[in-house]
Amino acid sequence: MIVTIDGPAGAGKSSVAKLLAERIGFRFLDTGAMYRAVAWAVIEQGISWEATNQLETLAKGLHIDLRGNRTFLNGDDVSEVIRHSDVTTSVKHIADHAEIRSHLIVLQRKLAEGSDIVTEGRDQGTLAFPHAECKIFLTASMEERARRRWDQLSEKGEKVSFEQVLRQQNARDERDRARDFGRLEAAVDAIHISTDGMQLDEVVDTLEKLVREQMTNLSQDGRMD
């Protein structure tokens, strides 16, 4: 069974998806980490963001592995460095690159083969896994999402103002929705959940109930035997 959780930046997709996967015994597929890993590799190698062919060649030559909540790039654990603000501001170049996105979608499908998974991103229910058994679109107000991101950065000791985080987030939302391939949009059969005013556990409780109901329905239909 595949559970997709899509939505804008700061909606809490990663945190919710991780906890949901743990609760129901599924594997967590952090697709955002894959894009970040490629962006970090580009930064490390000093390749220009305008060199689209070089970016594609680099991306296709990388070995990205997701193990639990950790991200490995060519065998090295890059889970922490890919969350730095310089990667966050640069990952748009990878997300907007249609060929790299197509390549990563293929990789995502390979990683999901033969597993029950919870996967999160922008296009999981629309492009990566259009036949997923349970699709969720998670969102929150602009201010709430920016506050969460600002809190995360502050905890890591990164000096950035709330207003700057909000501006960056709004610009990212606009890019995500305007992207030609893999744009941010809810699948037609996705269940919409707003997390405004909800604690993390409350969100996970809500999603767990939805997923378990779908698991029961699939079992009764004979699709999970």
Side-chain angles (χ1 to χ4, degrees):
M1 180 178 177
I2 296 176
V3 179
T4 63
I5 302 178
D6 289 312
K13 300 184 303 298
S14 294
S15 299
V16 168
K18 290 175 185 176
L19 291 175
L20 177 63
E22 290 176 4
R23 285 199 190 180
I24 61 178
F26 280 25
R27 181 183 178 189
F28 169 57
L29 185 63
D30 187 354
T31 64
M34 300 171 72
Y35 287 91
R36 287 175 173 273
V38 177
W40 184 79
V42 173
I43 293 172
E44 284 293 290
Q45 297 199 21
I47 298 175
S48 169
W49 297 113
E50 305 301 322
T52 55
N53 290 336
Q54 283 184 266
L55 296 180
E56 182 180 356
T57 299
L58 172 66
K60 291 184 176 180
L62 298 174
H63 179 70
I64 302 173
D65 191 16
L66 305 178
R67 307 176 200 167
N69 294 332
R70 312 300 294 177
T71 304
F72 291 83
L73 180 65
N74 295 335
D76 296 325
D77 189 340
V78 295
S79 305
E80 305 303 329
V81 293
I82 64 173
R83 301 294 173 181
H84 289 175
S85 58
D86 59 337
V87 176
T88 299
T89 56
S90 301
V91 73
K92 61 186 178 183
H93 300 288
I94 303 304
D96 291 341
H97 197 301
E99 288 76 15
I100 294 178
R101 180 172 284 273
S102 295
H103 169 69
L104 292 180
I105 287 175
V106 171
L107 179 56
Q108 290 158 19
R109 291 172 178 167
K110 289 181 179 178
L111 290 172
E113 286 180 356
S115 300
D116 294 318
I117 67 164
V118 175
T119 179
E120 62 86 19
R122 302 289 189 281
D123 57 2
Q124 295 301 283
T126 53
L127 288 180
F129 302 101
H131 302 299
E133 290 82 0
C134 186
K135 301 178 185 178
I136 297 164
F137 192 80
L138 204 66
T139 189
S141 67
M142 293 184 295
E143 292 77 12
E144 177 70 12
R145 292 188 286 120
R147 182 192 61 77
R148 293 171 183 171
R149 178 59 180 164
W150 182 68
D151 286 343
Q152 291 174 347
L153 293 174
S154 297
E155 289 176 2
K156 295 178 180 178
E158 296 194 38
K159 303 295 184 180
V160 59
S161 69
F162 173 82
E163 290 73 19
Q164 182 180 352
V165 173
L166 181 60
R167 287 196 302 270
Q168 292 175 345
Q169 175 189 272
N170 291 343
R172 185 174 180 181
D173 285 350
E174 185 176 342
R175 286 194 306 271
D176 285 346
R177 293 191 179 99
R179 187 176 296 122
D180 290 333
F181 180 70
R183 68 173 58 90
L184 170 65
E185 61 181 347
V188 294
D189 52 347
I191 300 170
H192 292 245
I193 301 291
S194 173
T195 63
D196 278 351
M198 298 177 69
Q199 297 296 318
L200 180 58
D201 284 346
E202 292 179 293
V203 180
V204 179
D205 287 343
T206 299
L207 268 57
E208 181 183 4
K209 181 179 179 181
L210 289 172
V211 173
R212 291 197 182 279
E213 288 176 351
Q214 184 64 358
M215 291 170 68
T216 298
N217 293 336
L218 292 173
S219 180
Q220 291 174 347
D221 291 341
R223 293 173 60 187
M224 290 191 68
D225 294 341

